Amino acid sequence: DKLNAQIDQMSARSTQLKEEVAALQQGLAKLAASQAEMDKIRSEEKQVFAKNSADMKQGIEGVKLALKVLGEYYASAGKAHDEAEGAGTGIISLLEVVESDFTKGLSQMTADEESSQAAYETQTKENEIEKELAAAREYLGKLHGQCDEKAETFEDRKARYEAEIAGLKEALQVLESETALVQRGSRTHLRGIARHAAAV
């Protein structure tokens, strides 16, 4: 009865470990799929940032060049542009606002890219740790299966005892047959000694 309880307990533990290993393997598969999707999204974000930041930098350089040209034009002496100076000042002010907006936009894009990259790296490290932990749990589960004390069933004990008894019976038969041979040889040898002694 105690043995049956122990067998039931070990069977339940084995079933639980198998379920845990299956859940870990399923979790690892989901984690791998999630990491692959995250890698893809991160790569796309990086490409978009590279293109947009290059466009933004080019736009900033273009606005700076326009401001320089307009500044030089209105700074030079000449009657032709004196009449348009008010409009020129408005254009220069507008270009300065555009430059400021572009610069802020580029700064925000860069900050967003750095934040996304940092979040990606953090999540990737967490996924690696999770994979290592899952592998360790799976290995531990296998060790439990191999190393935990396993109660021997009645059938296993009976078979082992029957094999031992059969082996002992065979050994007994061998010993009995050898004893019979030795005893026959001893009688013949003793009779020969007795004959020899009578003859002398």
Side-chain angles (χ1 to χ4, degrees):
D1 193 34
K2 186 176 180 182
L3 182 62
N4 285 335
Q6 205 175 24
I7 291 170
D8 291 343
Q9 183 182 14
M10 292 296 174
S11 294
R13 177 70 178 141
S14 175
T15 301
Q16 179 188 4
L17 287 173
K18 287 176 184 174
E19 289 171 359
E20 287 176 9
V21 167
L24 284 172
Q25 289 173 338
Q26 185 178 16
L28 282 175
K30 286 180 182 178
L31 185 66
S34 171
Q35 182 68 43
E37 181 65 21
M38 196 171 72
D39 292 345
K40 179 183 171 215
I41 291 170
R42 183 70 210 118
S43 176
E44 291 169 358
E45 286 177 346
K46 200 170 194 174
Q47 289 174 356
V48 168
F49 169 75
K51 182 188 179 310
N52 290 345
S53 66
D55 291 347
M56 192 66 80
K57 287 175 185 174
Q58 189 177 7
I60 291 170
E61 291 303 315
V63 170
K64 284 181 179 180
L65 182 60
L67 284 170
K68 180 181 175 190
V69 169
L70 287 173
E72 290 173 358
Y73 175 76
Y74 288 110
S76 67
K79 196 120 173 122
H81 62 74
D82 285 342
E83 297 170 6
E85 193 168 334
T89 304
I91 291 172
I92 289 174
S93 294
L94 179 63
L95 287 175
E96 287 172 343
V97 169
V98 169
E99 178 189 19
S100 175
D101 288 349
F102 280 9
T103 302
K104 285 179 187 173
L106 180 61
S107 294
Q108 185 61 46
M109 285 172 55
T110 303
D112 290 347
E113 170 64 16
E114 289 171 354
S115 175
S116 293
Q117 182 64 30
Y120 168 79
E121 288 173 0
T122 299
Q123 187 62 47
T124 299
K125 286 178 186 174
E126 288 175 8
N127 289 349
E128 283 297 318
I129 290 169
E130 186 62 33
K131 283 197 305 193
E132 289 174 13
L133 284 174
R137 285 187 207 119
E138 185 176 348
Y139 180 69
L140 183 61
K142 288 179 182 177
L143 283 180
H144 276 295
Q146 294 172 355
C147 298
D148 285 348
E149 183 179 327
K150 294 179 182 173
E152 189 175 27
T153 65
F154 173 76
E155 289 79 19
D156 291 340
R157 277 190 311 186
K158 181 180 174 187
R160 186 170 45 87
Y161 288 148
E162 286 175 354
E164 283 180 30
I165 290 172
L168 290 173
K169 284 180 180 179
E170 184 180 330
L172 181 62
Q173 285 177 352
V174 168
L175 289 174
E176 285 176 348
S177 66
E178 285 182 9
T179 303
L181 288 175
V182 168
Q183 285 178 351
R184 267 190 252 143
S186 296
R187 282 188 210 147
T188 335
H189 183 63
L190 289 176
R191 286 184 194 152
I193 293 175
R195 281 187 214 144
H196 182 64
V200 176

